[in-house]
Amino acid sequence: MAVKTKWTIDHHPCGHTTTVDLSDRPADRRAGYARWLAGRDCSDCWKASRDNDAEEKETWLENKRAQEQAEADNWAKQYRMPPLDGTDRAVAWGSRCRHQLMAAAYTALVLEGDTTEPEWEALEDTARTVTRAGWWIDQREAEPGDLPELLQAASASDRPTENPYA
């Protein structure tokens, strides 16, 4: 007599019952796998929980981005940072990147380093000249201590000009 290939599984977590074809498993491993399946949600419930997790994650991410955006906007207003240039999406992302990099650089250079407040203010003035959102996005993974060198390396295309024909 052959070992059965179709198993009826009572999924304990969700309470559903399914019939599963285990013919692709070796005969001596089918019973153990069937017991393992019984301790898990059925496929439909598992997929539904993943969809809910994705929705929860998306909601969490939207809330986190909104909070970061509000912090970046308040920071930019407080420290008189000019608006960035670019698409709406790039401007929002760039302003968050600028805020995070500038805050981390202040900690690294002033609070933990040997940069003085007047030197930091000069660095802030230089940062105000870089208004291309894409530049700040490109620097999002930069080391905070590298900010002075990065700002010096910013090209003319990253800074606005008063000449509308440039």
Side-chain angles (χ1 to χ4, degrees):
M1 182 165 161
V3 177
K4 67 180 180 176
T5 57
K6 301 227 188 256
W7 290 74
T8 300
I9 310 293
D10 293 321
H11 298 276
H12 299 295
C14 66
H16 293 122
T17 300
T18 58
T19 301
V20 181
D21 182 1
L22 299 180
S23 61
D24 60 338
R25 299 205 171 266
D28 63 336
R29 296 189 180 191
R30 293 177 191 158
Y33 187 66
R35 274 192 304 277
W36 181 82
L37 286 175
R40 307 287 179 266
D41 285 336
C42 68
S43 296
D44 293 337
C45 291
W46 179 78
K47 288 176 186 173
S49 72
R50 286 196 52 188
D51 291 343
N52 289 341
D53 288 345
E55 290 173 11
E56 288 175 18
K57 183 178 179 181
E58 186 175 325
T59 301
W60 175 85
L61 186 57
E62 286 176 13
N63 292 337
K64 176 120 174 98
R65 282 201 181 134
Q67 177 187 3
E68 288 175 352
Q69 191 65 51
E71 289 172 6
D73 292 345
N74 290 337
W75 173 85
K77 187 176 182 179
Q78 179 181 356
Y79 291 99
R80 302 176 329 277
M81 291 292 167
L84 298 178
D85 301 321
T87 64
D88 290 342
R89 184 175 172 198
V91 166
W93 188 13
S95 66
R96 290 191 309 269
C97 293
R98 176 176 65 179
H99 171 245
Q100 291 166 354
L101 181 57
M102 292 292 289
Y106 182 81
T107 299
L109 298 172
V110 177
L111 299 179
E112 297 171 354
D114 56 359
T115 302
T116 64
E117 285 293 333
E119 290 171 333
W120 175 255
E121 289 173 11
L123 186 67
E124 276 185 329
D125 288 340
T126 305
R128 285 184 186 95
T129 66
V130 180
T131 60
R132 189 174 68 82
W135 188 89
W136 291 100
I137 294 168
D138 291 344
Q139 311 316 314
R140 70 185 178 274
E141 294 177 2
E143 291 295 321
D146 294 341
L147 183 62
E149 185 178 349
L150 293 170
L151 288 170
Q152 293 303 320
S155 67
S157 64
D158 299 319
R159 292 178 164 83
T161 178
E162 292 180 14
N163 181 356
Y165 303 104

